[in-house]
Amino acid sequence: MNLNFKHEWIETNIGLLAVLTMLAISVGGLVEIAPLFFIDKTIEKVDGVRPYTPLEQRGRDIYQREGCYLCHSQMIRPFRDEKLRYGHYSLAAESQYDHPFQWGSKRTGPDLARVGGKYSNEWHVQHLIAPRSMVPESVMPNYPWLLSTPLDISDVADRMKALRKVGVPYSLTDAEYKANVAKFGETVAKQLHIPDAQKNLVEQANFGNYDGDRSGISEMDALVAYLQVLGTMVDFSKYKDDAFVDNR
Amino acid sequence: MSEQKLQSHTVQTTGHAWDGDLQEYNNPLPTWWVYTFYVTVVFAIVYWTIYPSWPFGKGWLGGVSDITYVNDAGETKTHSWNTRALLMEKLNEASAEQKPYFDKIASMSYAQIAKDPEMNGFILSAGKALFSDNCAPCHQAGGQGKIGFFPNLTDDDWLYGGTYDKIHETLMNGRRGYMPTFGEVLSAEQIDQLANYVASLSGIGHDAAKASAGNALFHSETAACYYCHGVDAKGRKDIGAPNLTDKVWLWADVPDADSAAGKVAAIRGVITNGLNRGVMPAWAGRLSPEQIKVLTVYVHELGGGQ
């Protein structure tokens, strides 16, 4: 390098300026993000977290399509008031199969990270159709079409294949299925098998009857199935209340 | 003045001239600025070390400050500062403040709590907060419920019983309402007769002949309504079958129907379609035993006792 270095040299070479600017800016990202891949304490080791079933995954797609994340976060922070209102703070492990994650940073409505099991299915159905009939002061929009729109289940296997590409352990082959049985147990592994996706979806929707209407599978079935599983996968009664203090 | 300065200092320019005489100085950065910049770099390195965030090996540097807390197993632990350890400390502080009350609640009987003015005040404020967070979305802010969905908690009509023990049982384990679908078992005429009979039980305008036929059907093996609702139609609290004689309605929207025919039609709807709803979630895993006891007393004070 020229020992007589002058800043004009960079300022008059637009290509060099661009490259050096990008290098300088990426330092911030590298320093914050790169270590997370090498540190053992990033993702907590907990039992129970599994990928979503086909029905729940379709519900999650609808959650995103309707833009629920614009008003609802899924990230309980480790603060006293949040613990009292929403429950245990969210773990990184709990969103390891979320693509994209739904943490969010804006709460017009309440956090939904642990809404699963808090209300009955019929509450969710009525609340999604007409929120103010259940919570008079709510500002949430009505979503009446969820109940009347049949769920499109034709492409559920393709959707799962796409998620498999980004690392969600849905199984296509026998070997992958066996690996899932070893990791999640047989009941869950069956739900994660892509060739059976449609059959599994229909079975879960018919058995759960989430929307209270047995005549068919609606988008409401899928969304309520998804909402009812949020935050319920980890059984926190099995862990001490400071079990995750070391992870951060 | 600037002209004087220009003359006394020969300042280097970028060598460009615009519009004939516009030039740009090429001044070095002021010394004070450069040294301040170096100081901030040093400060950042010191800060990284003190603040518990710098990645190191497979973990983090813990920083210089520690937090000591007691976990739920009663073990006292010291951990380097982070928000999760800080939460433990804050929860320790909170439970220390509330401990006298919760200890008392755990040791007292429901009746003792209800009679103790100090505990009553605590139940009213703590119970209201818990109720608003967890119960109000369904049972509404005042516990008045919602016809067709969720029962009123402020009246004397209790599906599963309104004693302390029953309310506690409902809170802990949840409930699931069920009534079979009669639309496929009985004819439309029979259902109409039953609806008229049920209407007659609470003094709603009805067809006497149909009600009398409905009465026979109610107590027959064909419809077998009395299995659950009882021979006197006053319900059975052990299975949550409602009293049909008390003019309190949950599933059939009788109060909002304008005409007697509309009220009978509302009843007919429930008999035809049955019910597979009325689900109350179980709270045992979500709330602590003390919180559930607070809610039990709070809900009992709304209208319990029966």
Side-chain angles (χ1 to χ4, degrees), chain B:
Chain B
M1 190 184 126
S2 57
E3 280 204 8
Q4 285 173 347
K5 221 178 180 180
L6 271 184
Q7 284 160 2
S8 55
H9 297 84
T10 326
V11 180
Q12 203 191 343
T13 69
T14 53
H16 243 346
W18 292 270
D19 263 357
D21 59 349
L22 274 178
Q23 286 178 298
E24 189 181 13
Y25 291 144
N26 190 15
N27 278 319
L29 290 162
T31 318
W32 70 265
W33 193 96
V34 174
Y35 280 103
T36 310
F37 177 68
Y38 293 148
V39 169
T40 59
V41 171
V42 174
F43 176 83
I45 292 168
V46 173
Y47 190 81
W48 290 338
T49 322
I50 295 174
Y51 189 80
S53 70
W54 199 240
F56 186 77
K58 286 183 173 298
W60 308 85
L61 287 181
V64 291
S65 64
D66 284 335
I67 286 177
T68 303
Y69 61 83
V70 183
N71 70 7
D72 58 356
E75 301 155 344
T76 304
K77 293 213 175 153
T78 300
H79 197 278
S80 57
W81 190 98
N82 71 23
T83 46
R84 292 183 176 184
L86 187 66
L87 173 69
M88 292 302 300
E89 187 187 57
K90 295 287 173 200
L91 290 176
N92 280 174
E93 285 169 14
S95 68
E97 285 165 17
Q98 296 182 333
K99 200 173 186 299
Y101 292 98
F102 278 122
D103 279 355
K104 254 177 132 176
I105 282 173
S107 67
M108 288 164 90
S109 75
Y110 295 119
Q112 283 171 325
I113 296 172
K115 273 186 200 139
D116 184 326
E118 193 198 352
M119 293 319 289
N120 239 318
F122 179 72
I123 296 280
L124 276 181
S125 52
K128 190 174 192 324
L130 283 169
F131 190 89
S132 306
D133 262 359
N134 300 296
C135 317
C138 292
H139 293 287
Q140 307 297 297
Q144 73 271 31
K146 193 104 198 160
I147 286 193
F149 293 97
F150 307 106
N152 187 336
L153 303 177
T154 64
D155 59 14
D156 288 339
D157 188 40
W158 291 83
L159 290 169
Y160 297 89
T163 61
Y164 287 116
D165 286 338
K166 280 293 168 188
I167 294 173
H168 186 257
E169 184 184 302
T170 304
L171 279 164
M172 290 290 285
N173 307 321
R175 297 288 185 191
R176 173 176 283 272
Y178 179 72
M179 171 163 157
T181 309
F182 285 95
E184 288 159 18
V185 184
L186 304 174
S187 69
E189 191 192 349
Q190 285 173 314
I191 289 174
D192 193 36
Q193 290 166 346
L194 280 172
N196 275 279
Y197 171 62
V198 173
S200 76
L201 291 173
S202 46
I204 297 167
H206 57 279
D207 180 317
K210 282 182 185 171
S212 148
N215 186 353
L217 206 48
F218 189 94
H219 297 94
S220 73
E221 297 303 313
T222 315
C225 309
Y226 73 96
Y227 278 24
C228 295
H229 290 287
V231 178
D232 55 2
K234 289 196 171 154
R236 274 177 58 183
K237 288 199 166 81
D238 54 341
I239 54 172
N243 184 345
L244 301 176
T245 67
D246 60 3
K247 302 187 184 176
V248 177
W249 298 94
L250 171 57
W251 300 114
D253 193 1
V254 170
D256 281 344
D258 294 334
S259 61
K263 291 178 197 287
V264 173
I267 300 170
R268 215 162 43 219
V270 175
I271 302 175
T272 308
N273 300 320
L275 292 165
N276 194 3
R277 44 199 302 207
V279 174
M280 156 111 180
W283 295 90
R286 194 174 272 273
L287 300 176
S288 73
E290 293 82 13
Q291 287 176 317
I292 290 184
K293 201 161 178 184
V294 167
L295 273 174
T296 303
V297 180
Y298 183 82
V299 171
H300 188 272
E301 288 184 5
L302 288 176
Q306 276 66 34

Side-chain angles (χ1 to χ4, degrees), chain A residues 39-40 44 80 83 89 114 116-118 120 122-123 126 133-134 240-242 244-248, chain B residues 26 52 58 69 71-72 75 79 82 84 87 91 94 133-134 137-138 140 146 149 277-279 281 286:
Chain A
I39 287 169
D40 287 341
E44 305 85 354
R80 176 183 164 185
K83 184 194 156 51
Y89 51 78
R114 300 208 186 283
K118 188 172 185 184
S120 61
E122 53 188 304
W123 182 87
Q126 181 60 29
S133 69
M134 292 287 113
K240 287 179 191 168
D241 62 355
D242 68 336
F244 310 107
V245 159
D246 220 22
N247 302 90
R248 44 189 295 279
Chain B
N26 190 15
K58 286 183 173 298
Y69 61 83
N71 70 7
D72 58 356
E75 301 155 344
H79 197 278
N82 71 23
R84 292 183 176 184
L87 173 69
L91 290 176
D133 262 359
N134 300 296
C138 292
Q140 307 297 297
K146 193 104 198 160
F149 293 97
R277 44 199 302 207
V279 174
R286 194 174 272 273

